[in-house]
Amino acid sequence: MKILGVIGSKRKKGNTSCLVQEAIKAAQKEGAETELIFLGDYSIKDCTGCEGCKDTLKCVINDDMQKIYPLLLEADGIILGSPTYFYNISADMKAFIDRCYCFEVFAEDDRSCWLGINEVLGGKYAVVIAVCEQHDEKDMGFTPEAMSKPLEALGYRVVDMVRVLGLFKAGEALQDNKALEQSRKAGERLVKTIKLRKDTETKIKELKKTYN
Ligand SMILES: Cc1cc2nc3c(=O)[nH]c(=O)nc-3n(C[C@H](O)[C@H](O)[C@H](O)COP(=O)(O)O)c2cc1C
């Protein structure tokens, strides 16, 4: 089982990074193979809306996102983390999400019929982690939903949304036991859900045999 962690803050020792890494460590402890990427290490251009991906599911922009697509195709689960920037996700996270548009498929004659490729690949699961400075949840704005809604459209089921308030200085998250615990729990839940899925797949095969 593979889990991919995606960090949308450029602060490598920042709060988002600490919490996504905590979730990733918990996923490892539960037996998952993990990979962690900092979007700041990649050069990801904005989606141009060219629809060049329409027939092939392959984005035509030749940049570092081409290194991330295979990781997305391989991973059974994904953990997205972003700081709140003006009530929303960071620009890095937004560019990454928009470039996943090539994994949305629309019926040619009726664009109201569409799916995310993960619906075809089989059950895939996700966790989102949002971090902001203020102590009132309204100051986090749309940050968690700006990640969870696109993930759902791409065919992931979001099993946990971690919202952490009141963190400002880089690395303060390491002193926030509640936030660390929430992130660990989210990583565990992600792996346990994927294990449950795999076990259920086996059970369904057995069930089908009983009707033959
Ligand atoms: C451009 C920018 C915009 C921000 N906007 C908000 C905001 O709208 N609400 C809030 O509570 N914190 C806001 N913050 C504070 C960050 O969310 C906070 O410091 C967070 O811990 C940063 O995460 P990081 O350490 O992972 O980079 C903003 C910070 C920056 C740099």
Side-chain angles (χ1 to χ4, degrees):
M1 177 199 311
K2 288 186 183 165
I3 305 290
L4 177 67
V6 180
I7 296 170
S9 168
K10 283 198 167 56
R11 301 205 292 185
K12 284 206 169 162
K13 294 185 176 166
N15 300 312
T16 311
S17 173
C18 295
L19 297 176
V20 172
Q21 292 197 54
E22 197 66 15
I24 281 283
K25 272 190 260 163
Q28 271 169 4
K29 275 201 186 138
E30 284 292 321
E33 199 182 307
T34 63
E35 182 154 1
L36 188 66
I37 61 172
F38 291 89
L39 292 176
D41 288 342
Y42 294 78
S43 165
I44 301 175
K45 294 197 180 103
D46 293 337
C47 173
T48 61
C50 71
E51 299 290 338
C53 55
K54 186 167 67 75
D55 299 324
T56 58
L57 313 178
K58 195 172 168 92
C59 178
V60 296
I61 301 174
N62 202 7
D63 64 2
D64 287 347
M65 194 63 195
Q66 299 300 340
K67 297 179 191 159
I68 301 179
Y69 290 128
L71 305 180
L72 290 169
L73 290 171
E74 281 301 310
D76 301 287
I78 184 170
I79 300 171
L80 295 191
S82 177
T84 297
Y85 279 5
F86 283 112
Y87 310 100
N88 215 315
I89 50 177
S90 67
D92 281 359
M93 181 56 73
K94 177 68 173 141
F96 163 78
I97 289 174
D98 285 351
R99 290 289 298 284
C100 290
Y101 178 66
C102 54
F103 287 166
E104 291 287 323
V105 193
F106 296 82
E108 219 151 88
D109 58 339
D110 181 358
R111 286 186 59 85
S112 73
C113 303
W114 57 270
L115 51 79
I117 62 160
N118 296 307
E119 293 174 61
V120 181
L121 289 171
K124 293 223 189 182
Y125 301 89
V127 158
V128 302
I129 299 178
V131 187
C132 82
E133 171 189 357
Q134 298 302 323
H135 293 265
D136 188 332
E137 201 167 316
K138 77 173 172 16
D139 293 312
M140 181 167 263
F142 315 103
T143 315
E145 293 76 17
M147 292 184 279
S148 66
K149 297 289 276 178
L151 285 169
E152 282 162 7
L154 288 160
Y156 293 94
R157 184 156 73 80
V158 179
V159 299
D160 209 342
M161 290 171 64
V162 179
R163 298 171 174 86
V164 180
L165 310 174
L167 295 180
F168 173 59
K169 287 193 194 123
E172 262 182 353
L174 294 175
Q175 266 75 58
D176 187 335
N177 288 329
K178 191 172 159 227
L180 291 168
E181 177 65 11
Q182 282 177 309
S183 305
R184 277 196 291 276
K185 279 262 168 317
E188 277 169 24
R189 180 170 294 148
L190 183 61
V191 175
K192 283 182 182 168
T193 308
I194 296 166
K195 279 186 192 162
L196 190 61
R197 184 204 176 280
K198 290 188 189 284
D199 291 349
T200 307
E201 208 173 33
T202 313
K203 280 187 188 161
I204 292 169
K205 274 187 197 144
E206 293 305 315
L207 176 67
K208 278 184 178 171
K209 280 186 203 160
T210 69
Y211 291 108
N212 285 337

